[in-house]
Amino acid sequence: MMVSVTYFILYFIVFTALLLLLLFNRRRYTSTVVDFPQVSILIAARNEEHNIMACLRAIAALDYPADKIEVLIGDDGSTDQTRTLVEAYIKDKPGYTCLPITCTVGQARGKANVLAQLARKASSDIFLFTDADIEVPPTWIKAMLAGLDKKVGVVTGLTTVTGSRLFDKMQRMDWLFSIGLMQVFSDLNMPVTTMGNNMLLTRKAYESVGGFENIPFSITEDIAIFNQILKRGFGFRNLYNNNVLALSAPAPNYGALLEQRKRWMRGSMYMPKYMFALFVLHSAYYPVLIPFFFKASLGIALSIAIVKLVFQSLFMHICLKRLRRSAPWWHYIVFELYLLVTTFILIIYFFLPTKVRWKGRKY
């Protein structure tokens, strides 16, 4: 009983601190891009025939001089129409190149291998990374460049999911809530992670670690290279605003969601200890609360659950408001139920001795 009470006290102290920091310690990066440097956009694609065209159309609509953009798409052995669609779309676009990836370099595998080879072909000093199932906003390049200075080697944007199903909307809230938690630490200049579907690396930072091919392989290649670049003394910035908000296709079903989250959870092992501790503290809430229901009075247990829901909903509301978005009140309640179910299933699924399936491969 005392252990549970101690846990809840710690949980709400930490949540209160995070909420206050979210409200009063926000960093903004609004420098203006004047000289429009040359940039290279790198996209790894594998069996993305349903998403790649939306991705490429979004890039074509970028509010940035077209002659300053180099787009490199790596086809990673697609067995569908991905490569055919890309080649047809770019045939009259001189700044676009589709590269079939048929070999591996160094320690890189899978997506990391594709990106390593695209980076070797890139001609600019600024690499922008996104995925084939992502639609970036027109303001993406300018807003990401605004996060750069002489010391910064990594700039991370913001991503959430599209979709009209309730399942899609819960994923959207989950993404923004999780990234909001990470943003609190980033605004304290405490590194957490980056996202490979919305990331900028300078060539200097990328080459300082020898590229993806010279770092130990990881199924979360973005976290791996982020950590290596920071070890070389480069700075980072994470941006949380509409100008860098990219949209991803949602997980189509619950099985796909579990595979995605299992891969992310593997990557969380390489996050800083303070972020891993927060992850554990947050994940332990339901395993602690449910047994507590049977030991404490119903009123006390329900009060704890309601306070958590209020804190979480307020945090989520602030995150949405900063992106000029909103959600009906009942979505916050459904989101709590979504977290309850997903937390337990993910804990079990994560420890099952199965390989992670990703893009038709097992790791």
Side-chain angles (χ1 to χ4, degrees):
M1 188 72 166
M2 282 302 298
V3 173
S4 298
V5 172
T6 302
Y7 167 82
F8 290 125
I9 291 172
L10 176 62
Y11 182 90
F12 287 115
I13 288 174
V14 171
F15 214 136
T16 300
L18 291 171
L19 190 54
L20 291 173
L21 287 168
L22 180 70
L23 281 168
F24 301 113
N25 191 51
R26 185 183 183 187
R27 291 193 177 189
R28 294 178 173 86
Y29 304 102
T30 56
S31 58
T32 303
V33 178
V34 178
D35 56 352
F36 298 110
Q38 192 81 25
V39 301
S40 299
I41 298 176
L42 280 57
I43 307 168
R46 177 175 167 80
N47 294 338
E48 292 286 359
E49 63 180 6
H50 299 297
N51 301 308
I52 190 67
M53 294 309 297
C55 171
L56 295 178
R57 290 190 189 105
I59 289 171
L62 286 166
D63 179 20
Y64 201 82
D67 61 335
K68 296 287 188 177
I69 303 174
E70 172 185 53
V71 182
L72 300 171
I73 306 110
D75 176 50
D76 187 17
S78 295
T79 56
D80 63 2
Q81 295 299 306
T82 297
R83 184 176 170 188
T84 301
L85 290 170
V86 171
E87 289 179 341
Y89 182 76
I90 69 174
K91 64 182 179 182
D92 59 347
K93 295 178 174 57
Y96 292 63
T97 303
C98 181
L99 298 173
I101 305 300
T102 58
C103 62
T104 58
V105 292
Q107 302 180 68
R109 292 163 55 199
K111 181 181 175 182
N113 177 57
V114 179
L115 297 178
Q117 296 190 50
L118 294 181
R120 290 183 174 190
K121 296 287 185 179
S123 60
S124 79
D125 291 327
I126 296 172
F127 302 159
L128 284 152
F129 298 82
T130 191
D131 285 350
D133 62 351
I134 296 289
E135 296 177 55
V136 296
T139 51
W140 185 51
I141 296 179
K142 290 180 180 179
M144 293 290 276
L145 290 174
L148 277 179
D149 66 22
K150 292 182 180 179
K151 295 181 179 179
V152 171
V154 187
V155 178
T156 305
L158 173 66
T159 305
T160 191
V161 302
T162 58
S164 58
R165 299 175 303 171
L166 183 60
F167 180 50
D168 303 335
K169 294 174 182 178
M170 292 301 103
Q171 291 182 64
R172 181 153 58 245
M173 293 180 77
D174 197 2
W175 279 53
L176 294 177
F177 178 73
S178 299
I179 297 171
L181 289 173
M182 292 188 287
Q183 189 66 35
V184 170
F185 286 92
S186 297
D187 285 344
L188 291 170
N189 203 33
M190 299 170 69
V192 179
T193 187
T194 187
M195 290 189 298
N197 60 28
N198 197 338
M199 176 177 73
L200 179 155
L201 301 180
T202 64
R203 176 182 288 275
K204 184 177 180 181
Y206 180 80
E207 292 183 347
S208 74
V209 302
F212 285 107
E213 61 267 44
N214 284 303
I215 62 176
F217 171 73
S218 170
I219 57 173
T220 49
E221 81 296 328
D222 44 5
I223 299 177
I225 201 162
F226 176 77
N227 289 336
Q228 292 298 321
I229 287 174
L230 264 58
K231 286 180 181 178
R232 300 303 192 281
F234 289 90
F236 72 95
R237 280 180 180 162
N238 289 55
L239 310 178
Y240 198 104
N241 62 66
N242 243 3
N243 292 331
V244 294
L245 178 60
L247 301 177
S248 171
N253 53 59
Y254 205 75
L257 178 72
L258 291 178
E259 287 295 334
Q260 179 191 70
R261 299 308 164 88
K262 184 169 184 173
R263 183 171 68 88
W264 291 356
M265 287 172 73
R266 289 271 186 91
S268 71
M269 301 298 181
Y270 303 98
M271 287 184 175
K273 292 180 180 178
Y274 47 81
M275 197 66 207
F276 183 74
L278 179 63
F279 173 76
V280 172
L281 181 71
H282 186 66
S283 299
Y285 175 80
Y286 299 109
V288 174
L289 179 66
I290 291 178
F292 187 74
F293 261 99
F294 297 99
K295 297 178 182 178
S297 69
L298 182 62
I300 292 175
L302 284 175
S303 296
I304 291 173
I306 291 171
V307 171
K308 190 260 191 180
L309 175 61
V310 170
F311 272 51
Q312 179 177 282
S313 300
L314 182 57
F315 192 99
M316 187 73 250
H317 174 73
I318 295 169
C319 290
L320 289 171
K321 188 176 180 180
R322 287 184 177 173
L323 300 173
R324 298 193 290 276
R325 293 169 177 258
S326 62
W329 64 267
W330 61 272
H331 276 194
Y332 295 101
I333 297 174
V334 175
F335 182 58
E336 179 71 9
L337 298 175
Y338 166 89
L339 288 179
L340 170 62
V341 173
T342 302
T343 296
F344 277 106
I345 294 176
L346 265 178
I347 289 173
I348 296 170
Y349 192 69
F350 178 74
F351 288 105
L352 288 178
T354 58
K355 292 184 177 181
V356 174
R357 291 190 295 272
W358 185 33
K359 300 293 183 181
R361 297 187 176 111
K362 294 183 179 180
Y363 298 92

